[in-house]
Amino acid sequence: MFTKTPATTPAAGSAATAAPTVALASLPGDGSIAHAVGVSDDEFRAALSRLAAGVVLITAHDPDAGPRGEGVGMTATAFLSVSLDPPLVMVSVRNDSRMDDLLAQQPLWAVSVLSGHQRQVAARFAMKGRISDRLLFQDIPSVTGEASGAPLIEGALATLECRTEQRVVAGDHTLVIGRVLATTTSGEDDGPLTYFRGKYRQLG
């Protein structure tokens, strides 16, 4: 069972010296891209893979898909709390992805915090060359959020319904900051789904 909890509505120094540019020779045979600051794509991924992250499903309703529209989903690990007053959260979405394009037009979206038993949900919405979102949602129990109109995954540890406050382009991703409009929390005593060293893992 979920307990509905509406979120409250809130009311000269010296010039910096530019960092030197370091020229790097390409590493033979590894195919990685060496950046001017000295860290290749592979090195960056390897370092960040050691950071355990919670796994969530970002969802939104696409009103232009079909006669009644359809839900769109995206697995994310780059999700965090930004502010308590007002209640703000942030998710990072890849530029030019379907979710990025949709959230550029649709200000309402939702987050389902996945439990350790929802590994298949995370994997399904993360796969490349996937089938349509309508089919992905077909056999996954969900309800429509009252505040966002987005699918909320049943069995999730918590859900948050959000409205976009700000979008910040950062490299090949866009940071979407949203105000939390409503939340639910699960009464089930289940551990979270995490992502560590390239694999989904269950805690607890």
Side-chain angles (χ1 to χ4, degrees), residues 38-146:
V39 178
S40 70
D41 286 0
D42 290 343
E43 290 169 335
F44 181 68
R45 290 192 187 98
L48 270 295
S49 73
R50 268 65 174 180
L51 176 65
V55 183
V56 302
L57 187 70
I58 306 297
T59 56
H61 179 73
D62 185 353
D64 296 328
R68 298 183 180 179
E70 70 177 11
V72 177
M74 180 197 82
T75 302
T77 56
F79 172 78
L80 53 84
S81 169
V82 173
S83 166
L84 183 61
D85 184 15
L88 300 175
V89 294
M90 184 189 76
V91 65
S92 177
V93 298
R94 178 173 289 279
N95 295 344
D96 301 322
S97 64
R98 183 179 183 189
M99 186 61 74
D100 179 42
D101 292 341
L102 177 57
L103 294 188
Q105 304 297 325
Q106 164 64 286
L108 298 174
W109 46 282
V111 183
S112 295
V113 181
L114 300 182
S115 77
H117 295 99
Q118 293 179 311
R119 183 177 311 191
Q120 291 184 342
V121 175
R124 176 181 293 194
F125 285 90
M127 63 183 177
K128 297 180 180 179
R130 67 192 198 188
I131 59 178
S132 72
D133 285 82
R134 189 184 303 276
L135 293 177
L136 291 177
F137 278 107
Q138 198 167 47
D139 60 348
I140 295 179
S142 65
V143 297
T144 300
E146 293 181 6

Side-chain angles (χ1 to χ4, degrees), residues 170-185:
D172 57 8
H173 279 64
T174 295
L175 310 180
V176 183
I177 300 172
R179 181 183 295 246
V180 179
L181 306 175
T183 68
T184 64
T185 54

